[in-house]
Amino acid sequence: MKNVKKRKYPKLMDLKGLITARGENYREMAKKTNMSSTAFSNKMNGFSVFDLTEANALALELDIPEDELSKYFFPNFNAFCNKSNGDFKRRERLNQ
């Protein structure tokens, strides 16, 4: 039986779109952020996650504004939290 990777995290579709819109590809972005192409692809496709250093390097490379980081690196964040008066309050988890 073949060992199939299991996705643990959401795919980063907005980040994929931004990379494409900027005329880049995974191989180029992996090289610019000091990662292997395989590691970069695994992170983009939800099999592992970017650590803060990697996310920062990628955000700097793509000129992602600080207030848009959650959109690109934490796509499900707003589904579970609500920013109110500077405090994050947990919302009910949506039935999925």
Side-chain angles (χ1 to χ4, degrees):
M1 187 167 154
K2 196 174 188 179
N3 188 9
V4 178
K5 286 196 278 187
K6 192 172 186 177
R7 185 172 285 117
K8 298 179 187 178
Y9 309 99
K11 290 182 182 180
L12 302 177
M13 300 306 290
D14 288 335
L15 188 55
K16 286 182 180 191
L18 182 62
I19 290 169
T20 301
R22 300 278 169 92
E24 301 283 356
N25 61 45
Y26 283 10
R27 180 173 287 144
E28 292 166 348
M29 294 310 302
K31 186 175 182 179
K32 289 178 180 183
T33 55
N34 297 315
M35 283 183 255
S36 72
S37 295
T38 300
F40 190 85
S41 178
N42 283 339
K43 292 165 195 270
M44 292 296 297
N45 290 302
F47 296 111
S48 60
V49 295
F50 288 103
D51 67 27
L52 291 176
T53 303
E54 295 164 341
N56 184 56
L58 194 52
L60 291 172
E61 191 64 44
L62 294 169
D63 296 318
I64 298 172
E66 189 175 315
D67 62 340
E68 293 183 16
L69 291 175
S70 65
K71 172 184 176 183
Y72 293 106
F73 293 98
F74 309 105
N76 293 338
F77 183 74
N78 290 328
F80 301 108
C81 296
N82 181 25
K83 188 174 182 180
S84 173
N85 298 326
D87 296 326
F88 289 101
K89 295 183 179 181
R90 190 157 179 86
R91 285 188 190 170
E92 294 288 325
R93 186 174 184 147
L94 301 174
N95 291 332
Q96 297 177 350

